[in-house]
Amino acid sequence: MTMFLLSTLLASLHHIAAFTLVACLVFELLTFRQTLSAHETRGIQVSAVVLLIAGILRVIYGGKGYAFYVGNTLFWVKMALVTIVSIVSIYPTVRYIRWGNIADGGTLTLPDGEFMRIRSLLRLQVIGILIILLVAPAMARGVWM
């Protein structure tokens, strides 16, 4: 496989995973309610893992090379934003995993406080993802290098 083809494939996989993650987060925010089933939380987990793996492979094997990314200020801004969004997602993710174990046989009703806390964290995640999507094209074009 040529380097161009590999780079194109990794970029496509990275973009598909990113858009899938955004779609899942927006869907999750719009449909989040106090009664959930276990099935409703799986898509976001899968797309986040694919996005992370594709991103790492893209930095290592992508067409711009490792040096482009590590020397790019906006790459580090983007990684900081990804880290912040990931940290914000920990609480909801842990809760989803616990609910998945509980909800396999039915549904779960959340207390008002927990519902509002998770809804606020989902909003923060979506805002963080939108900022990442604004930074990413500038990073790819070498702005601030």
Side-chain angles (χ1 to χ4, degrees):
M1 181 179 299
T2 68
M3 195 56 150
F4 175 77
L5 183 58
L6 177 61
S7 178
T8 302
L9 203 61
L10 289 173
S12 297
L13 181 61
H14 188 75
H15 289 131
I16 289 168
F19 291 126
T20 301
L21 180 62
V22 170
C24 287
L25 274 172
V26 170
F27 176 79
E28 182 182 12
L29 178 63
L30 294 175
T31 61
F32 185 68
R33 56 196 182 285
Q34 285 185 274
T35 304
L36 299 168
S37 71
H39 179 70
E40 294 170 316
T41 62
R42 303 232 197 294
I44 196 166
Q45 294 167 344
V46 171
S47 60
V49 169
V50 170
L51 179 63
L52 179 64
I53 292 169
I56 291 169
L57 291 174
R58 192 169 179 199
V59 167
I60 295 169
Y61 299 110
K64 294 186 181 189
Y66 179 78
F68 173 83
Y69 292 101
V70 297
N72 187 323
T73 303
L74 285 180
F75 171 76
W76 295 109
V77 169
K78 182 180 165 190
M79 291 302 99
L81 290 167
V82 167
T83 301
I84 291 166
V85 169
S86 298
I87 290 168
V88 169
S89 76
I90 291 172
Y91 180 78
T93 301
V94 168
R95 298 306 299 159
Y96 295 164
I97 291 168
R98 289 187 183 157
W99 299 336
N101 294 337
I102 294 168
D104 281 336
T107 60
L108 172 71
T109 302
L110 304 176
D112 290 340
E114 185 172 22
F115 173 74
M116 294 307 291
R117 184 178 320 114
I118 291 172
R119 188 151 189 77
S120 295
L121 292 172
L122 291 174
R123 285 186 184 119
L124 287 173
Q125 287 177 335
V126 169
I127 291 167
I129 292 289
L130 290 174
I131 295 169
I132 290 167
L133 291 175
L134 292 172
V135 169
M139 177 212 66
R141 285 162 182 77
V143 173
W144 289 358
M145 285 190 74

